[in-house]
Amino acid sequence: MDSISNNFSGLPTIRSAYSVCDFKANSAFDGSLKDKFLVASGNSSFAACSPSEGIAMYSKEFYAACTMGGILSCGLTHMLVTPLDVVKCNMQTNPQKYKSIASGFSMVVAEAGVAGLFKGWVPTLLGYSAQGACKFGFYEFFKKYYADLAGPENAIKYKDLIFLSGSASAEFIADVFLCPFEAVKVRVQTVPGFANGLSDGMPKILAAGGVAELFKGLRPLWGRQIPYTMMKFGCFERTVEALYANVVPKPKSECSKQEQLGVSFAAGYIAGVFCAIVSHPADNIVSKLNASKDATIGGIVNEMGVSALFTRGLPLRIVMIGTLTGLQWGIYDAFKVFVGLPTTGGAPPPTPK
């Protein structure tokens, strides 16, 4: 990240009104740990800020805050929903045996005990922590990079496109770090007796197919995660705006931090439902690829059919991803509040009378 930070030294810092890391200075925390994460904010969509008002955008401190928030929001939440993930993956790879959500839970517990519901929690925690760190950190880098390419006027006019492009670019990188852990996780969760976890599962995969076997699912993983992340950021920002404009009975500035965090969770859950729908076909392919050494994308599509690709395991995944995304935004914004920062997003400025 030092090279990225150096590339922007001496340049005016810009911030987005819809920034995921919408940092704001607060002198009440001067000299404390929270002060290390403070960043100044402007009032316009893309505003310059003075280093004296807070930590400069794209500084090491800024990336530290984005990275830590991403680790906490993604790593912890994915680990917490491991039982749902275990059942979902088995329903996708062996639908004849795991026919429903309820029977899926019962079958896993009957065969492997309650501990079976937590298979693969270590690669889940490590993989999605690495992914979350890259997702949020690189999002901020690419957002500024594309805004600079577009120029000041177009950066404001096409801010939604910049946010979507930035999130897609960030996820492209993040998935490279996630993919090896995802391969181990799915194999541990869906192949009985394969391995107990990461420490014995990864050596077995490497011995069987080398490094290439760990990255066999990278392309469908991109197909799942990139649309998911674009929806996660874009839909969340617009949903927060809509909630403050049409549902919450008072402006964001008058809401307590607890109320704002409630909006973050609700908007995250709504965004998560759409995330699950757009990324589900690729999720089915990823699960089937990682569950079998000989599986191919074409073979999976022929075996499942288009309808099953879009629907098999979808209700459970909507619950899982909705909860997951809601928790991620809740944890991320709670972290921002902890270090003295405002929550993400909000209503547009009121129209002058």
Side-chain angles (χ1 to χ4, degrees):
M1 291 296 180
D2 287 341
S3 61
I4 294 175
S5 179
N6 292 336
N7 287 338
F8 295 101
S9 60
L11 295 176
T13 54
I14 58 174
R15 115 186 222 282
S16 163
Y18 300 95
S19 171
V20 172
C21 296
D22 191 11
F23 288 15
K24 186 176 182 180
N26 188 332
S27 59
F29 299 108
D30 287 347
S32 68
L33 172 64
K34 296 177 182 180
D35 187 52
K36 302 300 181 183
F37 292 95
L38 300 182
V39 174
S41 66
N43 295 321
S44 61
S45 294
F46 290 90
C49 65
S50 166
S52 64
E53 295 175 315
I55 295 173
M57 295 283 280
Y58 305 102
S59 66
K60 289 184 289 186
E61 291 82 5
F62 177 82
Y63 275 113
C66 294
T67 300
M68 181 56 67
I71 290 172
L72 293 174
S73 67
C74 293
L76 292 178
T77 51
H78 277 275
M79 182 186 70
L80 287 173
V81 298
T82 296
L84 287 172
D85 197 29
V86 169
V87 175
K88 185 259 311 176
C89 287
N90 279 286
M91 288 177 65
Q92 291 172 326
T93 58
N94 193 352
Q96 291 75 29
K97 181 177 181 180
Y98 300 89
K99 297 181 179 180
S100 68
I101 297 173
S103 65
F105 274 99
S106 299
M107 188 72 67
V108 172
V109 172
E111 293 185 347
V114 175
L117 293 172
F118 295 91
K119 281 184 176 180
W121 73 268
V122 174
T124 296
L125 175 63
L126 296 180
Y128 282 95
S129 291
Q131 183 227 28
C134 294
K135 184 199 299 271
F136 284 93
F138 280 110
Y139 169 74
E140 291 296 340
F141 165 70
F142 283 115
K143 182 183 64 179
K144 183 184 187 303
Y145 178 73
Y146 295 142
D148 288 344
L149 288 180
E153 292 185 7
N154 286 330
I156 296 173
K157 183 178 180 181
Y158 299 108
K159 60 179 180 291
D160 287 332
L161 180 59
I162 289 172
F163 299 151
L164 292 174
S165 300
S167 59
S169 300
E171 189 62 42
F172 183 88
I173 297 172
D175 289 343
V176 175
F177 292 87
L178 170 63
C179 192
F181 296 98
E182 183 78 357
V184 176
K185 175 189 78 72
V186 174
R187 198 73 63 89
V188 168
Q189 291 175 342
T190 61
V191 181
F194 172 74
N196 294 317
L198 180 66
S199 60
D200 56 341
M202 185 168 285
K204 285 186 176 181
I205 292 178
L206 288 171
V211 175
E213 187 69 13
L214 289 174
F215 289 92
K216 183 175 71 171
L218 181 58
R219 284 185 295 173
L221 187 63
W222 280 330
R224 181 187 80 184
Q225 289 297 129
I226 290 177
Y228 165 87
T229 299
M230 294 171 71
M231 187 66 70
K232 175 180 177 177
F233 284 89
C235 184
F236 173 82
E237 296 285 4
R238 290 304 188 185
T239 303
V240 168
E241 181 178 332
L243 288 176
Y244 279 116
N246 303 302
V247 178
V248 180
K250 53 187 175 181
K252 179 181 177 180
S253 59
E254 298 178 10
C255 293
S256 67
K257 292 300 182 183
Q258 290 75 19
E259 290 170 333
Q260 292 181 30
L261 291 175
V263 170
S264 295
F265 176 79
Y269 201 103
I270 293 170
V273 172
F274 290 99
C275 290
I277 294 171
V278 301
S279 61
H280 192 65
D283 184 65
N284 270 314
I285 292 174
V286 169
S287 295
K288 298 280 279 187
L289 274 177
N290 287 323
S292 173
K293 183 177 183 299
D294 299 322
T296 64
I297 295 176
I300 293 169
V301 173
N302 289 332
E303 173 197 339
M304 295 185 65
V306 175
S307 177
L309 273 177
F310 279 88
T311 60
R312 183 180 295 173
L314 180 60
L316 178 56
R317 190 157 184 266
I318 286 176
V319 174
M320 173 182 162
I321 298 300
T323 304
L324 192 74
T325 308
L327 286 173
Q328 284 178 354
W329 280 112
I331 291 173
Y332 187 80
D333 275 350
F335 172 76
K336 292 172 70 177
V337 168
F338 170 74
V339 297
L341 310 173
T343 57
T344 306
T351 303
K353 295 182 179 180

